[in-house]
Amino acid sequence: MCSEVCRPYIHFAPEKGWMNDPNGLVYFDGEYHLFFQYAPNDLTGGPIHWGHAVSEDLLHWEELNIALEPDSRGLCFSGSAIVDHDNTTGFFDDEPGLLAFYTAHREAPEFDRGYIEEQCLAYSKDRGRSWIKYENNPIVSSPGFSDFRDPKVIWHQDTSAWIMALASGQEIHFYRSANLIDWTFCSAFGASEGIHTDHPWECPDLFQLNISGSHESRWILVVGIGACEKPFGSFTQYFVGNFNGYEFINENASDQGLLLDQGRDLYAVQSWSNSPGGDRLILGWLNNWKYAKEVPATSYRGMMSVPRYLNLVATKSGLRVSQSFCVAIPSDAGGFDDYQSNIILDAESSVGARRGRLLFGIEPDSLVDLTFFGTQSPDLRLSRKGDRISVQILRSTVSGDASFIKEFEHDYQAVFICAGEISMEWVTDRNSLELLFDDGRVSISQLMITDNPGQYLQVQPVSGGIKILQHQECLIS
């Protein structure tokens, strides 16, 4: 999967070494900055640094020198970055600069899980090309237990304060600050909310979204859950509610878990700070902790998802996040076969493209196969019973590693309600498939390990028929 032959065209992957969580996503001076968990000389997650890449268009990335390296405080785990526009910290002169908040992780046998985690700060005066660690780190000390990491820092306009969201065991803890250096604990969220496993919560994100078609807004809290023993592995959940600058109030039932992705491979999702136009722009690690260290690799291991926009939409079940791909795909990336709109497909015909969007009607009791190029059997099978749309997600691999096969191969279902036509938007790349159904309300992100790494999705009825109402061959921003 991670040989040079299989290197993705449109997804970011490091030149060499191991990569996992995106962190420190920030837009500054015409560049999108992508920092990431990085082990430059290892393929299984050795000593973790902050890798660094920049892009002007979210499609073409330039990998820069390592931003943060381990020191006596420990490894450099995940976190966030912001622009200090007003020199709040006093680190800068008349020009704004970049701040990076990260977790220092080191062994500590006296702690419950054998390590200690503290929150630290670094700053850059040269557009992120070099970094200075704050001399008085840590800025938030350990509360006395091991799992305490991944600081997400935002500005809360209504109370004129900086907020830090921290993953603390199986909760998210909120802190406030006036100067980005001195932090005060405010509240904890999550002990009896959402989905819990035997693994601690990770990689929080906190932001406000306007409700589409309304003047109202809500706050979204995103939380990752790592490699639990249950079959699904790592996944990302989110909460919809309100944040008053001190505490987060969930507006859904406390035991309701909302998944950001129904596939197996969208984790550690983070959004860009300071993004132009105020759009909420996210990125995730396209992998799963159940098998991440066993994905076939030679020179590098790990890739990011395609960046996406988030919106908030009203549904019969309540307010839900919807997603859309935001990168402009080149016109030579592959388009539809020569099909017109308003045609009927049956079992003898199909339509496909590397990336695109379809709006189609599917008859009740029909079956439709979606096949990723290079696989021998359908990867997804759609069926309809009234308003209920079932997506059977199948995945196999050509890898000869028995332990990888055991965790990677699967057959399960995602179900959503859609009264009318079905929209489907997708991006394929070497060994990956990302799908959005129902105007982005349902997301399915998958690694696809084949012996012929393809970039093509074929749509073909198995029984019954589908009517193609609209097609678009290239994604546009």
Side-chain angles (χ1 to χ4, degrees):
M1 183 313 211
C2 293
S3 67
E4 294 308 309
V5 174
C6 300
R7 181 174 287 275
Y9 286 115
I10 60 171
H11 293 73
F12 176 77
E15 194 65 30
K16 68 181 185 72
W18 162 275
M19 179 183 74
N20 57 287
D21 305 355
N23 38 244
L25 305 186
V26 63
Y27 181 82
F28 181 61
D29 198 18
E31 294 178 320
Y32 293 93
H33 290 261
L34 163 60
F35 299 91
F36 50 91
Q37 295 287 270
Y38 185 47
N41 301 308
D42 189 89
L43 289 176
T44 57
I48 290 294
H49 305 56
W50 271 34
H52 188 195
V54 293
S55 174
E56 295 181 357
D57 61 3
L58 295 168
L59 182 63
H60 303 92
W61 293 93
E62 177 188 1
E63 191 169 352
L64 302 179
N65 292 332
I66 290 170
L68 299 176
E69 298 183 353
D71 58 19
S72 60
R73 290 202 170 275
L75 310 179
C76 298
F77 275 19
S78 291
S80 58
I82 62 170
V83 180
D84 187 357
H85 290 282
D86 302 318
N87 193 23
T88 302
T89 55
F91 295 155
F92 311 105
D93 298 321
D94 296 330
E95 298 294 324
L98 290 174
L99 300 176
F101 301 85
Y102 66 98
T103 296
H105 171 106
R106 65 182 182 275
E107 293 183 3
E110 68 274 19
F111 278 69
D112 56 304
R113 299 188 66 180
Y115 51 81
I116 182 175
E117 294 180 333
E118 302 171 312
Q119 314 320 312
C120 295
L121 173 62
Y123 58 97
S124 173
K125 299 181 177 182
D126 57 1
R127 301 170 55 243
R129 270 52 182 183
S130 65
W131 291 84
I132 302 167
K133 292 179 179 177
Y134 177 49
E135 61 182 358
N136 291 323
N137 279 329
I139 56 173
V140 181
S141 299
S142 169
F145 52 84
S146 287
D147 292 313
F148 183 65
R149 56 180 174 267
D150 309 338
K152 177 68 177 190
V153 173
I154 67 166
W155 172 251
H156 189 255
Q157 183 68 38
D158 289 349
T159 60
S160 300
W162 294 99
I163 305 298
M164 178 187 291
L166 269 170
S168 305
Q170 294 202 23
E171 298 178 335
I172 301 301
H173 288 185
F174 297 104
Y175 291 75
R176 287 171 60 88
S177 176
N179 61 8
L180 292 163
I181 295 173
D182 301 302
W183 294 87
T184 302
F185 173 78
C186 293
S187 66
F189 170 84
S192 58
E193 305 276 354
I195 304 170
H196 291 264
T197 70
D198 56 350
H199 196 280
W201 285 9
E202 297 183 316
C203 304
D205 200 351
L206 179 68
F207 48 84
Q208 197 169 16
L209 283 181
N210 293 325
I211 303 171
S212 297
S214 168
H215 296 295
E216 296 183 47
S217 65
R218 293 292 190 277
W219 283 83
I220 309 299
L221 176 62
V222 177
V223 176
I225 300 181
C228 59
E229 291 303 315
K230 295 181 179 180
F232 204 84
S234 51
F235 58 93
T236 302
Q237 67 175 324
Y238 70 94
F239 301 88
V240 180
N242 289 287
F243 182 73
N244 60 14
Y246 295 86
E247 58 182 347
F248 183 88
I249 308 299
N250 181 18
E251 71 174 39
N252 289 292
S254 61
D255 61 350
Q256 183 172 26
L258 303 177
L259 295 182
L260 200 61
D261 192 86
Q262 301 284 341
R264 293 289 296 276
D265 298 311
L266 190 68
Y267 191 63
V269 173
Q270 291 289 292
S271 66
W272 263 273
S273 172
N274 200 48
S275 60
D279 294 311
R280 187 54 53 180
L281 179 62
I282 65 163
L283 189 75
W285 180 42
L286 205 59
N287 218 324
N288 190 306
W289 278 117
K290 291 286 280 187
Y291 41 76
K293 296 182 179 182
E294 297 170 334
V295 172
T298 53
S299 60
Y300 75 98
R301 182 178 270 138
M303 61 190 289
M304 295 301 179
S305 71
V306 166
R308 310 173 182 193
Y309 289 122
L310 290 189
N311 291 294
L312 190 61
V313 296
T315 74
K316 291 182 179 179
S317 301
L319 295 174
R320 298 292 184 265
V321 164
S322 69
Q323 305 178 45
S324 59
F325 301 122
C326 64
V327 295
I329 305 300
S331 59
D332 61 355
F336 280 94
D337 298 329
D338 189 18
Y339 281 98
Q340 302 298 317
S341 297
N342 295 311
I343 62 168
I344 303 293
L345 294 183
D346 56 26
E348 302 301 320
S349 55
S350 65
V351 61
R354 294 180 180 179
R355 0 213 178 274
R357 176 181 170 85
L358 283 180
L359 182 67
F360 59 93
I362 177 174
E363 300 170 355
D365 302 318
S366 295
L367 295 177
V368 179
D369 280 349
L370 307 179
T371 305
F372 182 71
F373 179 77
T375 54
Q376 302 300 314
S377 60
D379 303 299
L380 298 99
R381 176 164 284 182
L382 273 65
S383 61
R384 176 170 222 144
K385 295 285 186 183
D387 293 347
R388 180 186 171 94
I389 309 298
S390 295
V391 185
Q392 184 183 12
I393 306 171
L394 307 98
R395 184 169 66 180
S396 59
T397 177
V398 297
S399 169
D401 186 323
S403 60
F404 176 66
I405 292 172
K406 176 180 179 292
E407 302 294 355
F408 185 81
E409 293 189 343
H410 61 251
D411 179 353
Y412 68 99
Q413 282 195 336
V415 176
F416 62 95
I417 303 300
C418 183
E421 292 80 18
I422 302 171
S423 68
M424 182 177 74
E425 187 176 357
W426 71 92
V427 174
T428 69
D429 202 347
R430 288 172 164 172
N431 282 311
S432 69
L433 170 63
E434 296 175 66
L435 288 140
L436 300 175
F437 289 102
D438 196 22
D439 291 327
R441 294 176 181 86
V442 179
S443 170
I444 297 174
S445 304
Q446 301 267 96
L447 291 179
M448 306 295 290
I449 311 301
T450 77
D451 55 3
N452 184 13
Q455 288 183 269
Y456 202 83
L457 186 69
Q458 180 175 287
V459 182
Q460 182 171 21
V462 176
S463 63
I466 66 172
K467 183 177 183 179
I468 305 297
L469 301 172
Q470 184 184 97
H471 65 73
Q472 182 178 329
E473 68 171 294
C474 287
L475 304 173
I476 57 174
S477 59

